[in-house]
């Protein structure tokens, strides 16, 4: 049974930082894409950051480039999203995803999703 559990969301002031974690169980993330998506009320879900695990290559949406950093800890089977210089427009539910089915790491279709963690910048 594959399970992705996000944590680390919360309320932060503009300019602040948060670090999200995505702990993966029942699935070994190795040489595969993992990604963070977000969805704000009334908006479509968008890919924020992606990483090719084991290789370290990363991709970022233009809106977060230079502010967000995705990383992995293979020993813990966990992927992180460090978010700095947060803006009100970063407010959304953030989801991690694993098991790319088709498409690109950042915008493709994934098999496994977490339940989400809320990030509010205000």
């Amino acid at each position: 049974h594959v399970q992705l559990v996000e944590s680390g969301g919360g309320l932060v002031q503009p300019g602040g930082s948060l670090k999200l974690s995505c702990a993966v169980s029942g699935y070994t993330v190795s040489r595969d894409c993992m990604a963070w998506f977000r969805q704000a009320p009334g908006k479509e879900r968008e890919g924020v950051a992606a990483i090719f695990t084991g290789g370290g290559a990363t991709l970022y949406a233009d809106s977060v480039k230079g502010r967000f950093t995705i990383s992995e800890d293979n020993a813990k089977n966990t992927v992180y999203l460090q978010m700095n210089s947060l803006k009100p427009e970063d407010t959304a539910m953030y989801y991690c995803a694993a098991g790319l089915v088709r498409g690109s790491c950042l915008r493709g279709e994934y098999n496994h999703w977490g339940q989400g963690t809320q990030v509010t910048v205000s």
Side-chain angles (χ1 to χ4, degrees):
H1 175 64
V2 179
Q3 198 169 16
L4 280 65
V5 180
E6 301 100 333
S7 61
L11 173 64
V12 64
Q13 292 183 343
S17 298
L18 284 173
K19 186 174 184 178
L20 306 184
S21 299
C22 175
V24 183
S25 60
Y27 182 86
T28 300
V29 183
S30 177
R31 300 193 65 77
D32 191 7
C33 288
M34 282 195 68
W36 285 95
F37 288 76
R38 67 185 181 187
Q39 188 166 23
K43 294 189 177 181
E44 291 189 359
R45 186 175 62 195
E46 64 169 337
V48 173
I51 187 167
F52 185 74
T53 60
T58 56
L59 293 168
Y60 296 95
D62 288 344
S63 58
V64 306
K65 206 170 290 183
R67 300 188 297 122
F68 289 12
T69 303
I70 188 171
S71 61
E72 58 174 327
D73 184 332
N74 291 329
K76 296 182 178 179
N77 221 31
T78 299
V79 173
Y80 303 96
L81 184 68
Q82 176 68 47
M83 306 186 295
N84 298 329
S85 302
L86 283 162
K87 304 175 181 180
E89 51 263 44
D90 294 318
T91 296
M93 186 71 80
Y94 283 71
Y95 301 89
C96 70
L100 183 67
V101 176
R102 62 178 63 88
S104 71
C105 284
L106 189 59
R107 298 180 180 84
E109 181 181 334
Y110 283 82
N111 241 343
H112 308 296
W113 293 85
Q115 82 289 349
T117 186
Q118 177 68 38
V119 172
T120 303
V121 185
S122 177

